[in-house]
Amino acid sequence: MLGMWSLLLLLGLATPCQGLLEKVGTLARIDKDELGKAIQNSLVGGPILQNVLGTVTSVNQGLLGSGGLLGGGGLLSYGGVFGVVEEISGLKIKEITLPKVSLKLLPGFGVQLSLHTKVGLHGSGPLGGLLQLEAEVNVSSKVALGVSSRGTPILVLKRCSTLLGHISLLSGLLPAPLFGVVEQTLFKVLPGLLCPMVDSVLGVVNELLGTALSLVPLGALGSVEFTLATLPLISNQYIELDINPIVKSVAGDVIDFPKPPKPIKVPPKEDHTSQVVVPLYLFSTVFGLLQTNGALDIDITPELVPSNVPLTTTDLAALVPEALGKLPPDQQLLLSMRVKEAPSVTLQKGKAIISIPANIHVLSYHPKGTPEALFELNAVLTLNAQLAPSATKLHLSLSLEWLSAKLASSFSHAFDATRLEEWLSDVVRVAYVPKLNVDLGVGIPLPKVLNVNFANAALEIIENAVVLTVAS
């Protein structure tokens, strides 16, 4: 297993390149500050520090109790080097201060992690009475970044050591020779007690890293499964994850749409910020799901529009009288809109534009009868998308910029369909666009890496991608 880890680490880790994103996946660049926060939070309020307490003498009164180095038959007990010395018994870790976390990213490898803490030890002194000691300890570890068997990023402890600092005698009596032996003993035993704490911390952080690769539901449309496209990359400032979003229908079929022919030019990441790049591909695929599910189709009847938006033959006759034939006035109209092709999405220079090709069948509407076809239009709806991030999603709100229409067929006389564009735009704005925005409530999912919250992120639309940047 260790050999496999080494192979993964040697083959995969490199320094991230600046500028071009060759893949179409979601790119996450997580600043080292966020990793430091995750490590610090794992120590606050959790069981990790509590598990360290009491561990010095948990078995057979411990290394400093009877039977231990200083106990009966031990180094400093009866018959020991220093002769007859009363044993120190019951020495236990009673307090451990919240460690101060410092870390350094090691490009191409992983993390140098240091935890500086103070350990309070209580026991019985050699002359009786309570003995209280406080020791400063720096736990230094080298941690490799790799990939787990599940395909998730993972931090693996490679080396751990402790550096014993100043030891203070807070209460009790401890002769100088014995104090030195206690110091030497703590130097030997603390790594075995405190290095497992590092392993526990990494376990919590690895769970957070693992949530980045998960199945995210898209409401009734399907789901997005995030997978790691390549091995993690690491620089001296951030960890880079190239995440592949796999969009699936409700039936589980993979929805795959053409990918941009050119690589994305990603702006550089500033220090103390984290960055997520959402590619055009993900937008296109989500709109493709809407189209294949029929969510972009609609039948617009007079009940769906306000009274100030005309939807009768009388109003239509004022625009294209030749299209109505012998139909009487004041007949209600039905607009049956069908989207047979996936919409196109354009992300460029601060704008997000959605273009929806639609066939619009205009019919006379009889609530209790059979609609009568009048004519068919080929229309293109061009919508502007306002983007707003939340903690886990990128939300879209659409508004109609313009609508173009051409006559496809007519059951009466041919006419110039451009005369209907303003009227159709009014109908689409009040009846169709609100429906689209409801369907888009599922949003574009963001990968959840180390619980980084992108709700207040700065948003930049670049060519073929959206970049979210949040301060650490």
Side-chain angles (χ1 to χ4, degrees):
M1 187 67 177
L2 288 176
M4 185 185 76
W5 275 115
S6 300
L7 180 63
L8 282 174
L9 294 166
L10 287 172
L11 290 178
L13 291 180
T15 302
C17 62
Q18 297 285 339
L20 292 182
L21 174 58
E22 297 292 345
K23 306 293 183 181
V24 296
T26 301
L27 184 72
R29 291 171 169 172
I30 306 303
D31 193 81
K32 67 177 183 179
D33 293 347
E34 295 295 344
L35 181 59
K37 286 180 188 177
I39 292 172
Q40 190 76 56
N41 291 339
S42 71
L43 294 165
V44 177
I48 293 177
L49 296 182
Q50 294 297 320
N51 291 341
V52 177
L53 303 182
T55 50
V56 173
T57 58
S58 60
V59 180
N60 295 330
Q61 288 78 48
L63 298 174
L64 302 184
S66 60
L69 291 177
L70 305 185
L75 182 62
L76 297 181
S77 66
Y78 295 99
V81 175
F82 293 100
V84 180
V85 180
E86 290 289 329
E87 67 179 30
I88 299 174
S89 63
L91 190 63
K92 298 182 178 180
I93 295 178
K94 285 291 187 180
E95 296 175 300
I96 181 167
T97 61
L98 181 66
K100 181 180 178 181
V101 177
S102 62
L103 58 85
K104 178 182 179 182
L105 298 186
L106 306 175
F109 182 80
V111 183
Q112 181 72 44
L113 172 63
S114 295
L115 303 176
H116 183 79
T117 186
K118 292 182 179 180
V119 176
L121 302 106
H122 293 187
S124 297
L127 302 178
L130 178 66
L131 182 68
Q132 291 181 294
L133 300 170
E134 183 182 75
E136 293 185 10
V137 186
N138 190 64
V139 185
S140 179
S141 54
K142 196 170 185 181
V143 179
L145 176 64
V147 180
S148 72
S149 58
R150 298 190 299 118
T152 60
I154 189 171
L155 295 169
V156 183
L157 182 62
K158 288 296 183 181
R159 187 171 69 242
C160 180
S161 60
T162 59
L163 179 63
L164 192 62
H166 181 68
I167 300 177
S168 303
L169 179 62
L170 302 181
S171 68
L173 296 174
L174 192 62
L178 200 57
F179 189 92
V181 174
V182 169
E183 185 178 34
Q184 293 177 20
T185 304
L186 289 177
F187 180 79
K188 293 179 181 179
V189 301
L190 284 178
L193 300 175
L194 298 181
C195 284
M197 176 178 70
V198 178
D199 248 338
S200 299
V201 167
L202 295 181
V204 173
V205 175
N206 284 335
E207 286 185 13
L208 295 176
L209 285 172
T211 59
L213 308 182
S214 57
L215 192 68
V216 181
L218 286 173
L221 299 177
S223 61
V224 175
E225 181 180 3
F226 290 114
T227 62
L228 203 59
T230 62
L231 293 176
L233 304 177
I234 192 165
S235 74
N236 60 357
Q237 287 295 328
Y238 60 89
I239 296 172
E240 180 174 295
L241 304 177
D242 185 4
I243 301 172
N244 183 32
I246 301 174
V247 182
K248 298 181 179 180
S249 66
V250 175
D253 299 323
V254 175
I255 307 298
D256 197 10
F257 282 85
K259 300 168 177 59
K262 298 180 181 179
I264 299 170
K265 294 182 179 180
V266 182
K269 188 192 82 67
E270 297 180 0
D271 291 348
H272 310 295
T273 64
S274 292
Q275 193 179 68
V276 163
V277 180
V278 185
L280 172 66
Y281 166 76
L282 192 51
F283 287 84
S284 299
T285 307
V286 169
F287 275 95
L289 259 184
L290 288 168
Q291 187 267 325
T292 55
N293 281 20
L296 300 181
D297 299 338
I298 188 174
D299 288 334
I300 302 174
T301 61
E303 292 81 10
L304 296 180
V305 298
S307 57
N308 62 324
V309 177
L311 208 60
T312 68
T313 53
T314 300
D315 304 297
L316 193 59
L319 300 172
V320 284
E322 60 268 46
L324 300 181
K326 298 180 179 179
L327 275 178
D330 295 324
Q331 291 284 317
Q332 292 181 330
L333 296 175
L334 164 67
L335 271 62
S336 180
M337 184 181 299
R338 297 295 179 262
V339 179
K340 298 178 181 179
E341 299 177 16
S344 64
V345 183
T346 303
L347 300 174
Q348 195 170 29
K349 296 181 181 179
K351 294 198 73 175
I353 301 296
I354 317 298
S355 181
I356 301 178
N359 296 108
I360 303 176
H361 296 262
V362 180
L363 308 95
S364 64
Y365 177 58
H366 306 281
K368 295 182 180 180
T370 303
E372 181 181 346
L374 299 178
F375 54 87
E376 179 185 352
L377 302 173
N378 290 329
V380 177
L381 286 62
T382 302
L383 302 109
N384 181 50
Q386 295 294 325
L387 308 180
S390 68
T392 58
K393 296 178 181 179
L394 187 58
H395 298 274
L396 290 83
S397 178
L398 303 182
S399 59
L400 183 68
E401 278 206 8
W402 68 81
L403 179 151
S404 62
K406 292 183 179 180
L407 183 66
S409 63
S410 174
F411 289 88
S412 180
H413 300 283
F415 59 91
D416 181 7
T418 59
R419 286 182 278 164
L420 296 176
E421 290 177 351
E422 184 177 351
W423 169 69
L424 286 172
S425 296
D426 291 338
V427 174
V428 166
R429 284 190 178 97
V430 297
Y432 186 58
V433 174
K435 175 187 181 298
L436 287 182
N437 286 328
V438 170
D439 293 332
L440 285 169
V442 294
I444 306 292
L446 302 174
K448 190 177 181 182
V449 185
L450 293 181
N451 283 334
V452 177
N453 189 335
F454 285 93
N456 297 316
L459 186 148
E460 182 183 3
I461 301 174
I462 63 174
E463 186 174 2
N464 294 333
V466 173
V467 181
L468 301 177
T469 304
V470 64
S472 299

